[in-house]
Amino acid sequence: MKKPKALILFSGGLDSRLAVKLMQDQDIEIETIFFKLPFGGGCCNNFECVLNYAQMQGVKLNVIDCTKSPYFEKYLDVITNPKFGTGTSINPCKDCKIFMFKISKEFMKKIKADFIVTGEVIGQRPMSQLKRYLALTEKESGLEGLILRPLSAKLLPETIPEKQGLVDRNKLLAIEGRHRKAQITLAKKYNIKYPLPTGGCLLCEKSYAPKLKDLLNKNNGIKHEDIQLLSLGRHFRKSGKIIIGKNESQNNQLIELNKILNHNILIKKDSPGPTIIFENIKDKDLANKMQEVFSTNNLESRKQFDKYKINQGFAFCP
Ligand code: SF4
């Protein structure tokens, strides 16, 4: 008889690692799907670590790379026009989940899986893991009854695979809330190594939102490298964006990214000093002045430059 087959949304974090184990315990055939998101996400942004775990468990890992076309543009559209609002920053968690579920639904059909599994735990994240939001994301992605959350399943309505006897509900769990005691106990039982939860998604960081909004509002045809620039250097805007490297490592990263972005660039060759990327050639003199000022630790020249900035009316993008 054919084994039931599940597609597991795999973030790399402990919860989705446990979801893999719980399905293997029920002798269910598994494939996993990992979303590489432009702003990070899930618990583990280290792809090697995700891949290692999948290989150790002998499960196939399918990667949806949302840092590249066509998913990148679709994901930016989710950020720009979220139907269900955002969390405390610019994070559109419900729309983001729906986006991932819709792609997973197509993938589930392609690999002939019977249902989808996630490591979601009720009440763990306020924005998207409350019971009513789990139901909403399921309905909006056209997957009603087809998403099994084995860690919290006993607290949720019976799913189609449970009703069909593909999964034994008695072996599923009833975990809820933000504390992780139950998961850590299970990790010991299964001897699972796992990454510590990190901030993960830049969209949740309040300090990141103004920079991203500035980019989304003022630039067209945004590339993933534009997003990567947001995490580097000091950002200013005059006729266009001006970005100044803060140290040697950032200078080198700016040079590499600019090979793709092809903006104007100033590189200090004969003495230490920042690399500067500037989008608009009208800002060339300003960029030269900035490079001169930021090449020294002279506080007086920085102060003069601060006055100059204000007189010139150009803004610091936080
Ligand atoms: S935190 Fe929210 S927006 Fe970020 S990856 Fe997770 S669900 Fe998506």
Side-chain angles (χ1 to χ4, degrees):
M1 214 174 79
K2 182 185 166 290
K3 276 189 190 181
K5 184 168 181 178
L7 175 66
I8 303 187
L9 263 76
F10 190 66
S11 71
L14 174 56
D15 296 342
S16 61
R17 288 176 192 225
L18 289 171
V20 168
K21 281 291 182 191
L22 291 168
M23 292 297 97
Q24 284 176 331
D25 274 359
Q26 297 213 23
D27 202 23
I28 286 164
E29 191 185 339
I30 294 168
E31 282 198 31
T32 55
I33 186 167
F34 172 78
F35 286 84
K36 187 174 177 199
L37 296 173
F39 303 95
C43 293
C44 190
N45 288 325
N46 180 348
F47 179 66
E48 292 296 311
C49 170
V50 170
L51 186 62
N52 280 346
Y53 185 77
Q55 280 174 342
M56 271 165 51
Q57 299 306 318
V59 294
K60 186 170 176 191
L61 180 76
N62 303 285
V63 180
I64 303 291
D65 191 347
C66 301
T67 67
K68 296 198 174 113
S69 201
Y71 294 115
F72 178 67
E73 290 78 10
K74 289 180 185 165
Y75 193 72
L76 276 195
D77 196 46
V78 170
I79 310 286
T80 320
N81 304 300
K83 189 172 164 193
F84 298 102
T86 59
T88 49
S89 183
I90 199 173
N91 49 312
C93 292
K94 294 181 211 107
D95 293 86
C96 176
K97 284 270 167 79
I98 293 164
F99 168 83
M100 291 192 272
F101 279 143
K102 281 185 175 168
I103 294 170
S104 302
K105 183 183 167 192
E106 293 312 310
F107 210 85
M108 176 183 85
K109 285 185 197 158
K110 190 173 148 194
I111 63 165
K112 296 190 171 52
D114 300 290
F115 57 99
I116 284 176
V117 171
T118 77
E120 288 167 302
V121 169
I122 292 177
Q124 191 176 78
R125 294 182 193 201
M127 176 72 177
S128 57
Q129 289 181 209
L130 294 178
K131 249 186 197 177
R132 63 179 181 280
Y133 295 146
L134 296 183
L136 173 98
T137 48
E138 202 167 306
K139 184 164 178 254
E140 286 289 322
S141 46
L143 281 165
E144 275 172 297
L146 284 171
I147 302 178
L148 179 74
R149 286 128 175 150
L151 279 81
S152 290
K154 282 186 173 163
L155 304 168
L156 291 164
E158 221 179 346
T159 57
I160 293 170
E162 288 165 89
K163 286 177 190 161
Q164 289 175 336
L166 303 179
V167 176
D168 182 352
R169 187 171 173 87
N170 292 323
K171 293 182 181 163
L172 303 176
L173 308 176
I175 302 174
E176 68 178 319
R178 297 173 74 92
H179 52 86
R180 298 173 61 78
K181 238 175 154 180
Q183 289 98 311
I184 290 166
T185 307
L186 279 169
K188 281 189 191 139
K189 175 187 154 192
Y190 285 120
N191 198 17
I192 295 177
K193 290 203 172 68
Y194 56 93
L196 291 173
T198 59
C201 178
L202 285 168
L203 298 173
C204 297
E205 287 183 16
K206 285 189 179 153
S207 60
Y208 189 76
K211 271 196 283 195
L212 180 59
K213 280 184 187 163
D214 172 79
L215 180 70
L216 294 173
N217 289 338
K218 302 224 171 69
N219 292 53
N220 293 320
I222 295 169
K223 297 190 175 85
H224 182 235
E225 288 75 17
D226 289 306
I227 305 288
Q228 288 176 290
L229 271 187
L230 294 183
S231 302
L232 293 174
R234 298 176 175 88
H235 288 235
F236 301 88
R237 187 174 279 287
K238 182 81 171 43
S239 305
K241 197 86 183 276
I242 305 172
I243 300 148
I244 308 178
K246 285 183 183 170
N247 51 44
E248 192 181 352
S249 156
Q250 290 200 352
N251 289 346
N252 292 335
Q253 290 178 72
L254 290 177
I255 292 167
E256 281 310 304
L257 287 174
N258 205 50
K259 286 180 183 163
I260 292 151
L261 291 168
N262 223 6
H263 294 311
N264 305 293
I265 188 161
L266 292 176
I267 303 168
K268 203 110 170 70
K269 289 198 176 120
D270 39 9
S271 57
T275 293
I276 301 192
I277 287 180
F278 56 106
E279 289 175 343
N280 193 318
I281 195 68
K282 285 185 195 159
D283 293 331
K284 189 172 179 193
D285 289 346
L286 181 59
N288 272 313
K289 191 163 179 65
M290 286 169 123
Q291 194 178 51
E292 189 190 310
V293 170
F294 283 96
S295 294
T296 75
N297 281 327
N298 185 331
L299 280 181
E300 194 45 47
S301 67
R302 293 270 174 108
K303 274 185 200 161
Q304 279 176 13
F305 182 68
D306 283 339
K307 280 186 201 154
Y308 173 77
K309 268 183 348 197
I310 293 162
N311 291 340
Q312 292 285 311
F314 80 105
F316 176 64
C317 307

